[in-house]
Amino acid sequence: MAIQIFDTVILGAGAAGMMCAIHAASRGGRVLVVDHARAPGEKIRISGGGRCNFTNTGTSARNFLSNNPHFAKSALGRYTPQDFVALVEKHGIAYHEKTLGQLFCDHSAKDIIAMLTGEMARAGCELRLSTTLESLARIDDGFAVMLGGEGAANIRCRYVVVASGGKSIPKMGASGIGYQIAGQFGLAVTETRPALVPLTFGEDVLASFRELAGIAAEARVSCGKASFDEALLFTHRGLSGPAILQISSYWRETQPVRVALLPGRDLFAALRASRQENGRRSLPNALGEILPKRLAAFLAESHGWTGPIGDAGDKRLAAIAATIHGFDVHPIGSEGYRTAEVTLGGVDTDGLNSKTMAARAVDGLYFIGEVVDVTGWLGGYNFQWAWSSGWAAGTAIAERGG
């Protein structure tokens, strides 16, 4: 097999890999992007209900988990959400802000994929799909890369960028290959776990939750020092919704999760007003005016909140309000990588340059995106990390003449 020559080979045609390719090729570098999937940007395609929550206008390093909380600052500060929005607007992609700074495509996530592949094509990048990495080795002047599948080739290149993502959503082909490459070249990998994932419970608790499946409520969900005010959703398998997905990144086995329903509401005042309005109304019915009716009935039955509200004094109403505003649940696990939106942990940032994403000990080797130990909150933050880290590595490669 004849040897093919490229300046840069990027392993992964996801958000970070495509962004990196665009910038690595910006000064004429010969760039090859490979992916085992049959189409580029598969996680982009399914994200945000098919509309891609492509960034968050409020992004900062505090929205990320990492063993080094400062590592992400450089890339995020030099390629910002406003920079990516400018690219989206340049391509005429209509978008809207949903809530909390989250930006979504009006039409389809496929618009973002088309934008990225179009930019890659204009920059002269080559994309090979249904292609696997067979081997990667360091040689004197760069790397030897053996590819299999439809894009099989024997390649020599100066730079290799690992943009292979994490372990989340294995049915789409996710694997730990990026961590294996890190290990091969002596880079440490931190503990990896499913993140932004629904939490599961024992059968005794699930029996109750199944009665509430489909009910959503505003909640403040806390674990340790972390706390999020967003929607909570009861499911047949446990608890989900944005608040639970957020806290899942912080939760560890044996830890309780504290739930405060309607955190912005003065429930004691609402119950007193209900008592004054109609003292003959039952406590469950009074609660049903404040909470979803099935949830109110469940809580009333669980705690023995019976009788007319008119018979309940201030002390009892205050106790009911306090319970609704803070009770513990005890997850036994999560739904795992099958439904996790991202992987927590990854290639240890101690071994990487925060400005270029280059491996400190291996010249020409870069790690970007989800494979790195930088994990964002729900709400467009992980995509912004992909854009920013991909830009940082691609720009650094272009400046080196790649």
Side-chain angles (χ1 to χ4, degrees), residues 60 82 158 175 200 233 287:
S60 72
Q82 291 69 36
R158 294 174 61 192
S175 72
T200 58
L233 176 67
L287 288 170

Side-chain angles (χ1 to χ4, degrees), residues 11 24 27 34 64 89 94 113 129 138 156 182 222 262 284 286 303 314 327 348 367 374 382 394 396 400:
L11 305 175
R27 298 186 183 181
V34 301
F64 295 83
E89 291 178 344
I113 299 172
L129 300 169
R138 192 82 172 90
R156 299 292 181 269
S222 309
L262 304 181
H303 295 281
D314 281 358
F327 57 91
D348 195 327
F367 292 84
V374 175
N382 286 294
R400 292 185 66 178

Side-chain angles (χ1 to χ4, degrees), residues 279-286 300 304-312 316 320:
R280 292 177 295 177
R281 179 185 291 143
S282 71
L283 273 169
N285 285 342
W305 298 335
T306 60
I309 193 171
D311 293 345
R316 189 178 186 204
I320 291 171

Side-chain angles (χ1 to χ4, degrees), residues 144-164:
V145 184
M146 288 295 297
L147 301 176
E150 292 183 11
N154 182 2
I155 291 170
R156 299 292 181 269
C157 61
R158 294 174 61 192
Y159 313 110
V160 168
V161 183
V162 181
S164 54

